[in-house]
Amino acid sequence: MNRKTLVLPVLTGLLAPLVAACGGTGSGGSGGDAIVVGTTDRFTATKEAPAPIDPAYAYDVGTWNILRQTVQTLMVQPRGDGDPVPEAAEKCGFTDTGNERYACTLRKDLKFSNGDTVTASDVKFSIDRALRIQADSGVFALLSTIDTVETQGDREVIFHLKTADATFPFKLSTPVAGIVNPDDYEKDKLRDGFDVDGSGPYTLHAEVKNDELVDAVFTKNPHYQGQLKPKNDKVDLRSFPDAATMGSALSKGDIDLMTRSMSPEQIRKLDEDSTGDIDLVQMPGLEIRYLAFNTDAPTVETKAVRQAMAQIINRAELVAKVYGDEAQPLYSLVPATITGHSNSFFNKYGEPSDIKAKTLMENAGITTPVKLTLHYTTDHYGSATKQEFEELQRQLNASGLFSVSIKGAPWATFRPAEKEGDYDVYGMGWFPDFPDADNYLAPFLDKDNFLNLPYANSRIRTTLIPESRREADRLTASSSLTDIQDIVADDVPVLPLWQGNQYIAARDGITGAEWALNSSSTLQLWELGRGVSN
C-alpha cells in the first residue's frame, strides 16, 4: 500500500477528526501477537526520582502515557477531543452555580485489575495522597483548587473547591487524579520503581534493565469497565535510545508503529515517499517549546536582558532551518489553536531586531556582550534539539549583544538540576495536561509551578487566573487570559519559540493509528488493532 498522510484539522480551538487521502480505520481486530510500538521516551528510576510512574509524582508525557493505559480516572477526554466524559464515573457534574462543588457517581461493580472493588473511599485516598505527598515534580498543583474530598456511601464522591474552577473536569482526567488501590500505595510515600496497579484498560508488565524501563507490555484488563473500547489484547511499548534506531526497527518490521520522537529527516522522508508499506499519520499538535529563565540568577535577573532575547530571536528562521513544515513559530505560551490565544510577544516586539534589542540593553545600563549558557536536554524532546540550540546560539551571538554557549544533559540529570535552579536559561517542552489555555499558563505562573520558577506576579496569581477559571465559557475568559499573556510578554519569565505538529508512522495492517494520539499527545494504545486499511 502507498504511504498516506492523515490530517486532523483544527476547529474552534479543538481538534476534530477527519481522515484525508486514502485513509480509513479499517477493520481493527483483537487477538494475535502483541502490537509493538516504538518510542524514544526514556523511563529511568534515579536517586532524585525513584518513583517515575507513581501517579502522585509522574509529570511528563512519557510517564503519563504509561499511566493512561493502566490507571483509571473519573473523567477522560473523548475520542476526537472535546469536553471530558465520565470514565470510572457513571456521571459527574457541578452541583452549584458557582462551579465550586463537583460530584461524581462511580460505575457499579468497578474493580481494580486484581479483582478488588473500587469504592469512593479509594478515590478520596488517591486524591488526598497526591495532595499530601506534594511531590517535587509539581504535579499535585493540578489539584490545588480542591479544599476537601467527601464520600457518601461506596459510590458518591464530592469535591469541595476553594474557588471556582471551570477546568476541574479536565483535571480529573489527568493521571495525578488516577485511582489507586490503598493496598498497593502508601498514603504518605511514593511507590518506587515501575510497578503500577489500577483499574484501567490494561495491566503492565515492566522489563527493567539498570533501573530503566526498556519494555512495557500492556495486557487487556479483564476487569476493566469504562468509556474506552480496547481493540487489541496486548501492546508492547519499547523504548529506543534514538529516532534512528527506532526507525530502523520499523523498517525491518521489528516494530509495528513508531511515535514520539521522530526526527524531522524521518518525517520528511516518509512524507515524500509515495510507495512502501509504512504510512505516515500527521496531526496538528499542541506541543510547545520555550526557554525558561531563573529570574533570580544575576545573568538574567534584569528584565531588559530577557526582553532583548525576545527581540532578537527569529522564530521563523529557527523553525525553517531545524523543523521545516513540522512546526510553526509561536508568540505566546498558549498555542494558536487554543481558545484564548493572543500573539502577545509579536504584538510587543514585532519583527526580530538587533537594533531594538541594543536600545533595550543600553537603556537598562547592561554591559554587553552578556555571557550566557543555554541548557538543553539531549534525550527527551528529539534528536533535533541540539540543532535548535545551535541556531539559537548563532542568532544571539550574531547580534553582538550576547556571548552564548550551549550545554546538553540527559533528562535524568537535566530535570533535577532545572528544578534546583542550577540553570540560568534552559529549554523545555510542554505537552498539555488538557487542551485549555489555563493549562499553558497556570503550570508556569501559579504558586507551586512545575518549573519551580522564582518569578511571581501577584496580579496573575490572585486575580487573573481565578477570574479565568470562573468562566465555564472559555471564550468569555479570553480577557483575563489575554492580560496574563501580555504580562508574560513584558516580563519574559519564559520565552515561547514554536508549536509543533505530531506524527505516527505505522506499518500496513495496523489500524487506528489516526486515533492513537489525541491533541494533548496522549498515547491511546487501545485504539490500535490489526486488519486491512481502506
Side-chain angles (χ1 to χ4, degrees):
M1 162 173 267
N2 292 343
R3 176 209 48 87
K4 60 178 179 286
T5 301
L6 308 177
V7 181
L8 304 182
V10 178
L11 296 175
T12 61
L14 292 176
L15 304 180
L18 175 67
V19 179
C22 68
T25 57
S27 59
S30 60
D33 296 335
I35 295 172
V36 185
V37 177
T39 180
T40 59
D41 284 330
R42 313 294 285 177
F43 311 98
T44 305
T46 65
K47 181 179 179 181
E48 294 81 8
I53 60 173
D54 188 314
Y57 178 85
Y59 203 13
D60 65 73
V61 66
T63 53
W64 270 23
N65 280 335
I66 297 286
L67 292 172
R68 289 188 189 275
Q69 321 306 317
T70 53
V71 177
Q72 201 172 17
T73 49
L74 290 170
M75 304 290 284
V76 70
Q77 290 185 51
R79 195 187 207 208
D81 292 314
D83 292 335
V85 296
E87 164 60 349
E90 181 180 275
K91 61 180 181 179
C92 284
F94 285 105
T95 61
D96 65 337
T97 57
N99 292 340
E100 294 182 356
R101 187 181 187 274
Y102 195 80
C104 293
T105 302
L106 293 179
R107 293 177 183 268
K108 293 180 180 179
D109 302 320
L110 198 66
K111 297 181 184 299
F112 289 108
S113 59
N114 67 357
D116 290 350
T117 300
V118 178
T119 67
S121 64
D122 297 324
V123 177
K124 175 177 169 58
F125 170 86
S126 303
I127 299 293
D128 286 347
R129 176 177 181 267
L131 290 169
R132 182 184 300 108
I133 292 175
Q134 293 198 1
D136 62 6
S137 65
V139 69
F140 70 92
L142 279 171
L143 306 175
S144 62
T145 55
I146 295 175
D147 186 15
T148 59
V149 184
E150 176 189 354
T151 63
Q152 293 184 0
D154 288 339
R155 295 177 56 210
E156 302 293 328
V157 185
I158 302 169
F159 298 93
H160 300 277
L161 307 184
K162 300 173 185 175
T163 184
D165 187 359
T167 69
F168 190 66
F170 280 104
K171 294 172 180 177
L172 289 183
S173 73
T174 63
V176 68
I179 307 167
V180 298
N181 193 333
D183 291 343
D184 299 319
Y185 293 81
E186 297 183 42
K187 67 178 182 179
D188 54 5
K189 181 182 178 183
L190 294 172
R191 185 179 184 181
D192 292 354
F194 296 97
D195 291 327
V196 58
D197 297 283
S199 55
Y202 296 98
T203 61
L204 171 67
H205 173 73
E207 181 181 334
V208 180
K209 294 181 180 178
N210 299 321
D211 293 323
E212 183 172 0
L213 175 63
V214 295
D215 210 359
V217 178
F218 299 99
T219 302
K220 192 174 180 179
N221 174 12
H223 295 292
Y224 171 72
Q225 296 185 59
Q227 176 75 21
L228 310 176
K229 309 295 182 186
K231 297 173 176 59
N232 59 71
D233 293 330
K234 184 177 290 187
V235 179
D236 184 346
L237 181 67
R238 294 182 186 172
S239 180
F240 289 86
D242 52 60
T245 307
M246 179 173 65
S248 177
L250 183 69
S251 297
K252 291 187 295 184
D254 292 340
I255 63 176
D256 298 302
L257 180 149
M258 67 177 179
T259 178
R260 65 175 306 271
S261 293
M262 299 162 60
S263 71
E265 293 76 19
Q266 285 174 324
I267 293 167
R268 283 192 283 268
K269 183 177 179 180
L270 286 169
D271 191 43
E272 293 167 359
D273 186 11
S274 60
T275 63
D277 56 359
I278 297 174
D279 305 328
L280 181 68
V281 182
Q282 175 185 337
M283 294 152 281
L286 297 178
E287 170 193 6
I288 69 168
R289 297 285 176 85
Y290 59 93
L291 294 177
F293 296 91
N294 176 0
T295 52
D296 283 348
T299 56
V300 293
E301 65 178 345
T302 302
K303 182 167 67 172
V305 174
R306 308 191 301 270
Q307 290 178 325
M309 293 177 68
Q311 185 67 75
I312 291 168
I313 290 174
N314 188 325
R315 295 167 176 81
E317 188 174 20
L318 172 69
V319 167
K321 286 187 175 182
V322 181
Y323 295 102
D325 294 337
E326 285 82 58
Q328 302 85 40
L330 181 64
Y331 298 93
S332 169
L333 281 173
V334 180
T337 48
I338 292 288
T339 300
H341 163 83
S342 173
N343 280 322
S344 298
F345 274 80
F346 189 83
N347 295 341
K348 181 171 180 62
Y349 300 100
E351 296 293 340
S353 171
D354 294 351
I355 295 175
K356 290 181 180 179
K358 183 178 181 180
T359 301
L360 285 168
M361 303 273 263
E362 288 178 344
N363 289 343
I366 302 297
T367 301
T368 59
V370 174
K371 291 185 177 181
L372 288 177
T373 299
L374 305 187
H375 296 265
Y376 66 94
T377 175
T378 57
D379 60 353
H380 196 66
Y381 297 122
S383 59
T385 305
K386 181 179 180 181
Q387 186 182 351
E388 176 183 342
F389 274 74
E390 289 172 342
E391 175 60 17
L392 289 170
Q393 178 188 36
R394 186 198 66 77
Q395 290 185 14
L396 291 168
N397 287 349
S399 72
L401 302 174
F402 291 90
S403 176
V404 169
S405 60
I406 61 174
K407 186 174 183 181
W411 182 251
T413 302
F414 176 91
R415 179 67 168 131
E418 169 268 308
K419 287 189 293 185
E420 290 298 320
D422 293 346
Y423 302 149
D424 294 2
V425 190
Y426 53 97
M428 290 284 285
W430 181 251
F431 299 83
D433 308 323
F434 49 88
D436 187 275
D438 176 85
N439 194 241
Y440 288 91
L441 299 172
F444 304 93
L445 305 170
D446 210 352
K447 182 183 177 183
D448 299 319
N449 65 81
F450 93 106
L451 290 175
N452 199 28
L453 291 176
Y455 174 80
N457 183 286
S458 60
R459 182 168 177 245
I460 289 176
R461 290 185 178 182
T462 62
T463 302
L464 295 176
I465 289 178
E467 276 183 1
S468 71
R469 288 174 174 170
R470 280 196 287 270
E471 302 296 343
D473 180 350
R474 303 312 285 156
L475 189 60
T476 306
S478 293
S479 176
S480 300
L481 296 170
T482 297
D483 286 350
I484 295 172
Q485 292 167 82
D486 288 346
I487 292 171
V488 170
D490 185 59
D491 288 348
V492 200
V494 290
L495 176 55
L497 298 172
W498 55 266
Q499 171 183 352
N501 299 325
Q502 53 185 1
Y503 298 85
I504 280 179
R507 298 187 67 83
D508 286 346
I510 297 299
T511 62
E514 67 271 27
W515 297 107
L517 281 177
N518 71 5
S519 65
S520 300
S521 297
T522 296
L523 193 56
Q524 302 177 142
L525 297 179
W526 53 85
E527 294 285 0
L528 299 175
R530 293 190 186 277
V532 179
S533 296
N534 297 326

